[in-house]
Amino acid sequence: MPLMRIDMIKGRDKKEIKDILDISYKVATDELHLLPRDRYQVVTQHEPEEMIFWDVGLGLERTDKILLFSLTSSPREQIDKEHFYASLVKALHEGIGISPADVMINITSNTMADWSFGNGEAQFLNGKL
């Protein structure tokens, strides 16, 4: 169950945003082995001057279509993360034409004690999940 936050520059239409959400959820389900109905996604849109993404000297050509995927998740295997990165970039490029250079991904791990899905309960700890 990752919480997936997607930051982007304003200007995309509703269909493209829905496509980004649907594609990223499918890839996460496949590569990170999500449970059914394990979908938590938030899109935040920014003015162009509010997002600066250089490339750490990698030679990446960024555009105003840049997407930052920030996932907060229980620990994942390294191979699953690598497959997620590659599959997400490929699916976004093939599905809606987003350049691979315009996809940045960050995963932050936490533990089961760090989640409450509602009702003030720690469902992973009390056995409900």
Side-chain angles (χ1 to χ4, degrees):
M1 113 281 1
L3 168 60
M4 185 182 296
R5 295 184 174 277
I6 307 166
D7 290 273
M8 61 184 67
I9 294 173
K10 289 180 181 177
R12 288 183 161 91
D13 63 41
K14 290 180 181 183
K15 182 185 181 321
E16 185 175 6
I17 292 170
K18 182 180 181 324
D19 289 345
I20 291 167
L21 290 167
D22 290 345
I23 288 168
S24 58
Y25 173 66
K26 173 153 184 10
V27 171
T29 298
D30 293 345
E31 303 299 350
L32 300 177
H33 318 291
L34 303 185
L35 297 171
R37 296 185 49 84
D38 193 3
R39 188 172 184 173
Y40 304 93
Q41 296 173 296
V42 178
V43 169
T44 303
Q45 298 185 61
H46 303 272
E47 297 296 332
E49 66 274 8
E50 295 175 344
M51 291 182 65
I52 299 172
F53 287 89
W54 290 1
D55 66 355
V56 196
L58 295 173
L60 300 172
E61 295 293 326
R62 309 273 199 204
T63 73
D64 63 351
K65 296 294 185 183
I66 184 98
L67 295 171
L68 170 62
F69 289 85
S70 300
L71 284 70
T72 303
S73 176
S74 55
R76 304 287 173 174
E77 296 292 326
Q78 179 177 331
I79 193 71
D80 292 338
K81 292 178 186 180
E82 291 176 10
H83 287 166
F84 174 71
Y85 303 152
S87 296
L88 180 58
V89 167
K90 181 179 179 186
L92 289 168
H93 182 68
E94 290 177 354
I96 53 179
I98 294 174
S99 168
D102 277 334
V103 180
M104 185 171 170
I105 307 164
N106 173 19
I107 299 176
T108 302
S109 295
N110 63 10
T111 69
M112 291 183 174
D114 296 314
W115 294 94
S116 171
F117 293 91
N119 296 330
E121 299 177 55
Q123 287 89 348
F124 281 127
L125 302 180
N126 69 14
K128 290 187 177 179
L129 282 175

